[in-house]
Amino acid sequence: MSEVFEGYERQYCEASASLTRKCTAAAALQGEKLKQKAAEIKSGIDGAEALIRKMDLEARNLQPSIRAGLLAKIREYKSDLNNLKGALKRITSGNAQQGAREELLESGMADALGVSADQRSRLLRATERQNQTTDRLRDSHRTMLETEDLGVSILHDLSQQRQSLLRAHNVLDDVDDNIGKSRRIIGGMVRRMDRNKWIIGLIIAVLVLAILVILYFKFVH
């Protein structure tokens, strides 16, 4: 539920309770005091109507799933306010003024204000239940956000670990490439050494053969 709506709702409930008490008190008044009290009640009713209009405007700007329940509460508030208007009208009506006051005093405003008080009591209980439900939803939403943050953190850590593994894999690939190059270089050196051995052996053989030829000609002739 919107916090703005809750604020208007609290103000309306307080105003409605105050108007009920004022109507009960006005039923025992006469003359100028009654006129003053009636004007005060009328001003309070106008203020309550303004609060209902603000609640209606705020409710219509909310999500449809929330809006329907709030509009139902607003209809009950309007009914409650109409009961207060009817009570004020009966108190201040011309010829029936005295009879209406006595009836209201005897019955404790059972018809109008009793219904109003009963409606207000039910609305307050419903509001309390809805606020509790809203608190539970907020707790669930907060838990979900915390879980989401934890999941994001875990995914971030896994991503970093994956990057580290990829870098390690790239390093290993570079090491493998270097080892391959080293093997090729060593293989080339071994082949050159073998070739040099053959060349040196061939040179030695030629030298030995030359020496033998020289000795042959020397001793034979």
Side-chain angles (χ1 to χ4, degrees), residues 142-156:
R142 183 169 57 253
T143 302
M144 182 185 68
L145 290 178
E146 291 174 353
T147 303
E148 183 179 355
D149 291 339
L150 178 61
V152 171
S153 177
I154 292 173
L155 289 176
H156 180 68

Side-chain angles (χ1 to χ4, degrees), residues 63-87:
Q63 298 177 354
S65 58
I66 302 175
R67 184 191 310 156
L70 298 184
L71 292 178
K73 293 174 67 174
I74 291 172
R75 286 193 293 271
E76 293 192 16
Y77 289 146
K78 288 180 179 179
S79 176
D80 171 65
L81 192 60
N82 287 333
N83 288 332
L84 289 171
K85 289 180 181 178

Side-chain angles (χ1 to χ4, degrees), residues 147-204:
T147 303
E148 183 179 355
D149 291 339
L150 178 61
V152 171
S153 177
I154 292 173
L155 289 176
H156 180 68
D157 292 341
L158 290 175
S159 177
Q160 289 182 333
Q161 292 176 3
R162 181 176 180 273
Q163 294 297 327
S164 298
L165 290 173
L166 288 175
R167 287 193 294 270
H169 184 267
N170 291 333
V171 170
L172 289 176
D173 287 341
D174 293 339
V175 171
D176 288 340
D177 291 341
N178 292 331
I179 291 174
K181 291 179 180 178
S182 298
R183 286 177 178 175
R184 287 193 294 273
I185 292 172
I186 292 173
M189 292 174 65
V190 170
R191 286 192 295 274
R192 284 195 296 273
M193 289 175 63
D194 291 339
R195 187 169 55 252
N196 291 337
K197 286 179 181 179
W198 284 103
I199 293 173
I200 292 172
L202 181 61
I203 292 172
I204 292 173

Side-chain angles (χ1 to χ4, degrees), residues 57-68:
L57 181 61
E58 180 66 21
R60 295 183 186 280
N61 290 327
L62 299 176
Q63 298 177 354
S65 58
I66 302 175
R67 184 191 310 156

Side-chain angles (χ1 to χ4, degrees), residues 5-210:
F5 185 93
E6 290 178 351
Y8 291 149
E9 186 177 35
R10 283 192 298 270
Q11 293 179 46
Y12 173 80
C13 290
E14 292 171 359
S16 178
S18 176
L19 288 170
T20 299
R21 292 191 295 270
K22 289 178 180 179
C23 284
T24 303
L29 300 177
Q30 295 181 7
E32 190 63 29
K33 290 184 177 180
L34 175 60
K35 290 182 180 179
Q36 292 177 356
K37 182 62 70 174
E40 183 180 346
I41 295 172
K42 178 64 170 59
S43 176
I45 289 176
D46 291 341
E49 284 183 326
L51 288 171
I52 288 178
R53 287 194 296 270
K54 290 178 180 180
M55 283 190 285
D56 184 77
L57 181 61
E58 180 66 21
R60 295 183 186 280
N61 290 327
L62 299 176
Q63 298 177 354
S65 58
I66 302 175
R67 184 191 310 156
L70 298 184
L71 292 178
K73 293 174 67 174
I74 291 172
R75 286 193 293 271
E76 293 192 16
Y77 289 146
K78 288 180 179 179
S79 176
D80 171 65
L81 192 60
N82 287 333
N83 288 332
L84 289 171
K85 289 180 181 178
L88 178 62
K89 185 176 181 181
R90 285 192 293 274
I91 292 172
T92 58
S93 61
N95 295 330
Q97 178 175 320
Q98 183 62 33
R101 288 200 301 272
E102 292 176 355
E103 181 182 353
L104 287 170
L105 286 172
E106 292 173 358
S107 64
M109 301 180 72
D111 292 335
L113 301 183
V115 173
S116 174
D118 180 66
Q119 285 181 335
R120 189 160 47 254
S121 177
R122 286 188 288 107
L123 289 172
L124 287 174
R125 288 195 299 270
T127 298
E128 184 178 357
R129 288 194 298 270
Q130 188 163 2
N131 288 339
Q132 291 175 351
T133 302
T134 301
D135 291 339
R136 286 195 295 270
L137 289 174
R138 286 175 178 170
D139 291 339
S140 299
H141 184 64
R142 183 169 57 253
T143 302
M144 182 185 68
L145 290 178
E146 291 174 353
T147 303
E148 183 179 355
D149 291 339
L150 178 61
V152 171
S153 177
I154 292 173
L155 289 176
H156 180 68
D157 292 341
L158 290 175
S159 177
Q160 289 182 333
Q161 292 176 3
R162 181 176 180 273
Q163 294 297 327
S164 298
L165 290 173
L166 288 175
R167 287 193 294 270
H169 184 267
N170 291 333
V171 170
L172 289 176
D173 287 341
D174 293 339
V175 171
D176 288 340
D177 291 341
N178 292 331
I179 291 174
K181 291 179 180 178
S182 298
R183 286 177 178 175
R184 287 193 294 273
I185 292 172
I186 292 173
M189 292 174 65
V190 170
R191 286 192 295 274
R192 284 195 296 273
M193 289 175 63
D194 291 339
R195 187 169 55 252
N196 291 337
K197 286 179 181 179
W198 284 103
I199 293 173
I200 292 172
L202 181 61
I203 292 172
I204 292 173
V206 170
L207 289 174
V208 170
L209 180 61

